[in-house]
């Protein structure tokens, strides 16, 4: 007798990435119609035919769900993966959600970065900021964690610079700020739970293979 397939669960980061991910999954015939209803307050969606489940989570929580096996597969930005540093396999660069992690500030702040001065750095990404300044630049800095609208930091005098994501650069421009240094490029990645990768190797590798073919 054929063994019942168990559900494979996807955790998708809410927002722009989720829409793009669903589009990509649809292109390999993995669909979830229920999920497209923007008015729905449901948290989990099921494709019974393919034995798949999907849920949307706050971006920083996606690697947590995947590490603990509450989701087998996750899709989230490499900024979050680096910041959260969870034990998961990063298996695929999906090629969308491209942006850059940068040190930004007023033009005058450039000087402060060149002389290893003790400066204040505001960021939603304290671990990435710490790694960049301590391990790559060998500069001791004071890191202040913020939860959003980080550009306010240098404007209201909370910090000298920020470490943040730059996509089009318009938030910076409109606020008299600019990119001072680039930390790393960012894009959406697929991550997989380490046990699921062994136990469901065949199904997961098939999905990765089909996605890789689509995006190449
Ligand atoms: C992100 C980021 C910048 C902005 C960059 O913020 O933190 O503020 O987008 O995009 P741009 O270069 O195209 O202007 P998000 O919209 O996620 O909100 P947040 O500031 O509240 O984190």
């Amino acid at each position: 007798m054929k063994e019942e397939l168990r559900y494979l669960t996807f955790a998708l980061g809410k927002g722009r990435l989720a829409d793009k991910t669903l589009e990509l999954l649809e292109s390999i015939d993995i669909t979830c119609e229920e999920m497209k209803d923007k008015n729905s307050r449901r948290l989990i969606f099921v494709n019974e035919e393919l034995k798949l489940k999907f849920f949307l989570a706050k971006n920083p929580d996606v690697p947590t769900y995947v590490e603990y096996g509450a989701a087998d597969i996750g899709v989230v930005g490499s900024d979050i993966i680096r910041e959260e540093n969870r034990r998961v396999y990063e298996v695929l660069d999906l090629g969308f959600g491209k942006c850059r992690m940068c040190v930004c500030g007023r033009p005058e702040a450039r000087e402060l970065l060149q002389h290893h001065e003790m400066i204040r750095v505001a960021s939603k990404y304290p671990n990435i900021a710490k790694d960049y300044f301590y391990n790559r630049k060998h500069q001791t800095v004071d890191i202040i964690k913020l939860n959003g609208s980080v550009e306010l930091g240098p404007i209201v005098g909370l910090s000298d610079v920020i470490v943040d994501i730059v996509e089009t650069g318009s938030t910076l421009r409109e606020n008299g700020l600019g990119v001072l240094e680039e930390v790393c490029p960012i894009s959406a990645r697929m991550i997989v739970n380490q046990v699921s990768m062994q136990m469901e190797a065949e199904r997961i590798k098939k999905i990765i293979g089909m996605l890789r073919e689509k995006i190449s």
Side-chain angles (χ1 to χ4, degrees):
M1 198 173 76
K2 198 167 183 286
E3 215 180 298
E4 260 291 291
L5 278 183
R6 79 164 181 88
Y7 285 96
L8 274 186
T9 303
F10 285 74
L12 309 181
K14 267 186 199 168
R16 286 173 267 191
L17 278 194
D19 294 340
K20 290 245 178 191
T21 307
L22 290 176
E23 239 172 69
L24 179 63
L25 289 172
E26 213 168 278
S27 74
I28 60 162
D29 295 324
I30 292 181
T31 51
C32 192
E33 286 306 317
E34 296 175 306
M35 220 167 169
K36 291 183 187 161
D37 177 6
K38 299 280 180 215
N39 297 319
S40 171
R41 300 292 294 168
R42 280 184 62 183
L43 293 172
I44 190 138
F45 304 90
V46 186
N47 180 325
E48 286 296 348
E49 201 186 324
L50 298 174
K51 290 279 179 220
L52 298 174
K53 288 186 184 175
F54 302 85
F55 64 83
L56 294 174
K58 284 262 184 194
N59 284 300
D61 295 337
V62 169
T64 313
Y65 286 110
V66 175
E67 179 182 292
Y68 284 92
D72 302 284
I73 296 173
V75 175
V76 73
S78 52
D79 52 329
I80 301 291
I81 297 170
R82 246 184 104 177
E83 180 64 23
E84 295 298 316
N85 202 20
R86 293 280 175 182
R87 279 169 299 175
V88 296
Y89 292 135
E90 191 181 314
V91 294
L92 195 58
D93 183 341
L94 297 172
F96 55 79
K98 282 193 178 165
C99 50
R100 299 181 294 155
M101 182 68 70
C102 298
V103 180
C104 313
R106 294 185 197 280
E108 310 86 83
R110 196 178 291 277
E111 189 76 6
L112 303 171
L113 296 170
Q114 268 146 26
H115 300 112
H116 289 100
E117 292 192 41
M118 179 72 184
I119 54 170
R120 280 187 173 173
V121 180
S123 186
K124 263 200 302 194
Y125 303 89
N127 293 327
I128 293 178
K130 198 189 281 176
D131 179 57
Y132 180 71
F133 279 100
Y134 284 50
N135 300 330
R136 275 171 60 189
K137 285 185 59 99
H138 306 291
Q139 181 171 5
T140 309
V141 295
D142 185 6
I143 291 167
I144 305 166
K145 162 92 200 270
L146 287 179
N147 294 299
S149 304
V150 180
E151 290 83 358
L152 277 171
I155 297 171
V156 300
L158 175 71
S159 68
D160 299 292
V161 296
I162 61 173
V163 168
D164 199 18
I165 280 175
V166 179
E167 196 181 349
T168 61
S170 53
T171 312
L172 292 177
R173 270 192 304 278
E174 285 181 30
N175 291 288
L177 306 172
V179 170
L180 303 175
E181 291 176 356
E182 184 168 325
V183 177
C184 59
I186 306 288
S187 59
R189 307 290 162 98
M190 177 169 277
I191 54 176
V192 177
N193 171 269
Q194 296 187 342
V195 176
S196 308
M197 197 68 214
Q198 314 301 323
M199 304 300 286
E200 293 291 336
E202 200 181 317
R203 287 170 83 195
I204 294 176
K205 282 184 181 160
K206 191 172 164 207
I207 294 172
I208 296 171
M210 287 193 296
L211 289 174
R212 188 174 283 136
E213 213 166 278
K214 266 285 162 209
I215 59 189
S216 63

